[in-house]
């Protein structure tokens, strides 16, 4: 490079620097409120929103502040969608499948039984067209969505008695919300919806026979192992459930571009670090539970096979009557069918070998 070009280059750099600092001092102070669906006791999930807020603040040098409220503090945990849609709060952190009562298509944003694992969910969202499809869907709710964490595959939950075959599901009262509950109902289970704090007493006094929650790290804190010793796996209704940040579309459009970028980066970070946190915290929690006499049991094959068949029958029935579901399901299914072909090769072979070796 010639000397003249160097000087010109330096000058241009200095100018750009000046412009940037002028912009920084001009940048407005913005304060948002985030309604979380979750209690602080679910520190891994709730913590993702706090991490997002902290990062956004640091990136914008404190100009863009987001205050996080736990479920119930501003709005009930299951009304985060409505609160963001109506601009009661600017943003929220929730699990979209809480809203399948409004439209079953919300489930694609979290998990469908026998759907994606956490890696596939991320792949579909970021590179498989999933995020664009979901944002198109969320537009009619005045919302723009951002993947906001993943628990990884969940456990099937705590059962007072052993489940030896499909026949043992008949009349079984289990706390399991959402689509997983609907599928189990087709197999004879009587699904119950109970909030986190109500599950333990119901299980203890025998009002319910079983409950699912999340995985070892979260389940241990609620103490289910003290009253139900059989811990079943896998939680086939949640193979890689995603949490989501919602932002009111109008509020989003009013944000300076640099703040939008800060939010986007912080959300992506919260998305991947939640999974890492679970993957670090679940293994020691599982070991602690096993040391306390918990019996790890796989669901019987006939339960898995019947649930799988009912799940896809249900998706076809839903697609026949719900255009939004049908539209996303077609794309989701195509991605899933291809992804399985890949994951069952190197990933599955590697995991199967490593997991049985020392
Ligand atoms: Ca669960």
């Amino acid at each position: 490079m010639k000397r003249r070009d160097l000087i010109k280059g330096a000058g241009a750099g200095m100018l750009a620097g000046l412009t940037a600092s002028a912009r920084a001092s001009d940048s407005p102070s913005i304060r948002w409120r985030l309604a979380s669906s979750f209690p602080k006791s679910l520190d891994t999930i709730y913590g993702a929103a706090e991490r997002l807020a902290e990062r956004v603040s640091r990136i914008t040098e404190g100009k863009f502040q987001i205050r996080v409220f736990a479920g119930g503090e501003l709005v009930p945990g299951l009304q985060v969608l409505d609160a963001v849609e109506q601009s009661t709060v600017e943003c929220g952190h929730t699990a979209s499948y809480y809203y399948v009562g409004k439209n079953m298509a919300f489930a694609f944003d979290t998990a469908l039984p026998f759907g994606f694992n956490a890696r596939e969910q991320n792949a579909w969202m970021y590179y498989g067209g999933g995020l664009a499809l979901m944002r198109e869907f969320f537009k009619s709710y005045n919302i723009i969505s951002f993947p906001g964490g993943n628990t990884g595959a969940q456990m099937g939950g705590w059962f007072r008695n052993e489940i030896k075959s499909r026949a043992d599901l008949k009349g079984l009262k289990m706390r399991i919300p959402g689509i997983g509950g609907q599928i189990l109902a087709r197999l004879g289970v009587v699904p119950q919806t109970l909030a986190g704090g109500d599950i333990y007493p119901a299980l203890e006094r025998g009002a319910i026979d079983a409950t699912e929650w999340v995985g070892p790290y979260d389940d241990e804190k609620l103490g289910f192992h003290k009253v139900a010793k059989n811990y079943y796996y896998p939680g086939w209704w949640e193979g890689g459930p995603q949490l989501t940040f919602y932002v009111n579309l109008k509020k989003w459009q009013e944000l300076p571009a640099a703040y939008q970028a800060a939010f986007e980066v912080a959300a992506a970070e919260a998305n991947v670090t939640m999974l890492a946190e679970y993957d670090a915290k679940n293994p020691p929690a599982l070991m602690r539970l096993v040391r306390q006499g918990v019996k790890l049991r796989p669901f019987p094959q006939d339960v898995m096979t019947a649930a799988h068949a009912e799940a896809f029958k249900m998706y076809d029935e839903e697609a026949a009557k719900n255009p939004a579901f049908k539209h996303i399901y077609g794309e989701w299914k195509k991605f899933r069918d291809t992804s399985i072909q890949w994951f069952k090769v190197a990933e599955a072979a590697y995991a199967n070998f490593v997991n049985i070796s020392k």
Side-chain angles (χ1 to χ4, degrees), residues 96 121 178 185 190 257 293 304 310 315 317 321-322 328:
S96 295
Q121 181 71 16
V190 186
M304 295 295 290
E310 287 301 333
Y315 304 155
E317 289 165 14
K321 61 184 183 198
N322 179 344
I328 304 170

Side-chain angles (χ1 to χ4, degrees), residues 97 154-155 175 177 212-215 237-238 241:
Y97 65 6
Q154 296 198 0
M155 287 295 281
R175 181 270 175 193
E212 64 86 56
W213 186 236
V214 184
W237 48 94
E238 288 168 300

Side-chain angles (χ1 to χ4, degrees), residues 9-59:
M14 223 160 81
L15 194 65
L18 279 173
T19 315
S21 66
R23 270 202 213 109
S25 60
D26 286 350
S27 44
S29 286
I30 291 180
R31 285 177 195 283
W32 276 11
R33 298 189 304 171
L34 182 149
S36 171
S37 283
F38 309 105
K40 287 180 183 164
S41 57
L42 275 175
D43 59 310
T44 311
I45 296 182
Y46 175 82
E50 294 211 306
R51 185 176 286 143
L52 166 101
E54 191 264 334
R55 298 302 258 172
V56 163
S57 169
R58 273 173 63 184
I59 295 169

Side-chain angles (χ1 to χ4, degrees), residues 77-349:
L78 300 182
Q79 285 172 27
V80 167
L81 175 87
D82 308 73
V84 179
E85 181 181 4
Q86 290 153 20
S87 204
T88 309
V89 289
E90 292 82 3
C91 56
H93 189 223
T94 189
S96 295
Y97 65 6
Y98 291 155
Y99 314 106
V100 291
K102 294 176 192 281
N103 192 321
M104 205 187 270
F106 276 105
F108 293 108
D109 199 50
T110 311
L112 256 72
F114 299 102
F116 298 143
N117 65 29
R119 279 179 56 189
E120 291 173 310
Q121 181 71 16
N122 276 337
W124 184 59
M125 278 287 158
Y126 290 133
Y127 290 97
L131 188 56
L133 279 167
M134 289 322 301
R135 284 182 173 175
E136 186 190 324
F137 173 74
F138 276 113
K139 250 189 204 162
S140 59
Y141 297 89
N142 303 322
I143 281 170
I144 178 168
S145 60
F146 301 82
N150 201 303
T151 64
Q154 296 198 0
M155 287 295 281
W158 302 87
F159 291 69
R160 290 165 65 94
N161 299 311
E162 212 178 317
I163 303 296
K164 294 203 171 101
S165 77
R166 202 188 143 168
D168 292 334
L169 296 181
K170 286 268 175 306
L172 186 101
K173 289 195 284 286
M174 178 174 183
R175 181 270 175 193
I176 173 169
I179 302 177
Q182 291 177 37
I183 293 167
L184 279 171
R186 289 169 173 235
L187 302 182
V189 168
V190 186
Q192 323 270 321
T193 302
L194 294 174
D198 300 333
I199 307 173
Y200 183 89
L203 192 64
E204 189 182 31
R205 66 171 190 271
I208 54 172
D209 307 301
T211 184
E212 64 86 56
W213 186 236
V214 184
Y217 177 70
D218 292 318
D219 293 11
E220 183 187 30
K221 286 184 281 183
L222 295 190
F224 302 132
H225 56 284
K226 292 173 200 150
V227 284
K229 290 286 176 203
N230 302 289
Y231 198 17
Y232 275 87
Y233 63 89
W236 45 262
W237 48 94
E238 288 168 300
Q242 179 198 294
L243 292 308
T244 305
F245 292 111
Y246 291 173
V247 176
N248 178 277
L249 202 51
K250 192 166 165 284
K251 294 289 171 190
W252 176 255
Q253 285 156 354
E254 287 168 9
L255 272 188
Y259 292 11
Q260 287 182 342
F263 191 98
E264 215 156 9
V265 162
E269 183 188 55
N271 187 44
V272 296
T273 49
M274 186 195 294
L275 182 63
E277 196 176 352
Y278 269 113
D279 285 342
K281 288 180 168 175
N282 274 328
L286 182 67
M287 296 304 108
R288 285 193 296 273
L289 289 168
V290 168
R291 278 199 299 273
Q292 291 174 72
V294 164
K295 298 271 179 292
L296 286 176
R297 300 191 192 279
F299 280 121
Q301 194 60 38
D302 70 339
V303 168
M304 295 295 290
T305 308
H308 183 270
E310 287 301 333
F312 282 90
K313 220 189 287 172
M314 202 170 117
Y315 304 155
D316 287 338
E317 289 165 14
E318 186 66 22
K321 61 184 183 198
N322 179 344
F325 185 92
K326 186 183 179 189
H327 176 56
I328 304 170
Y329 183 58
E331 297 300 313
W332 179 91
K333 184 79 169 32
K334 222 187 300 167
F335 190 91
R336 180 182 179 276
D337 291 347
T338 314
S339 182
I340 283 175
Q341 295 306 316
W342 156 238
F343 269 82
K344 77 179 179 192
V345 181
E347 292 289 351

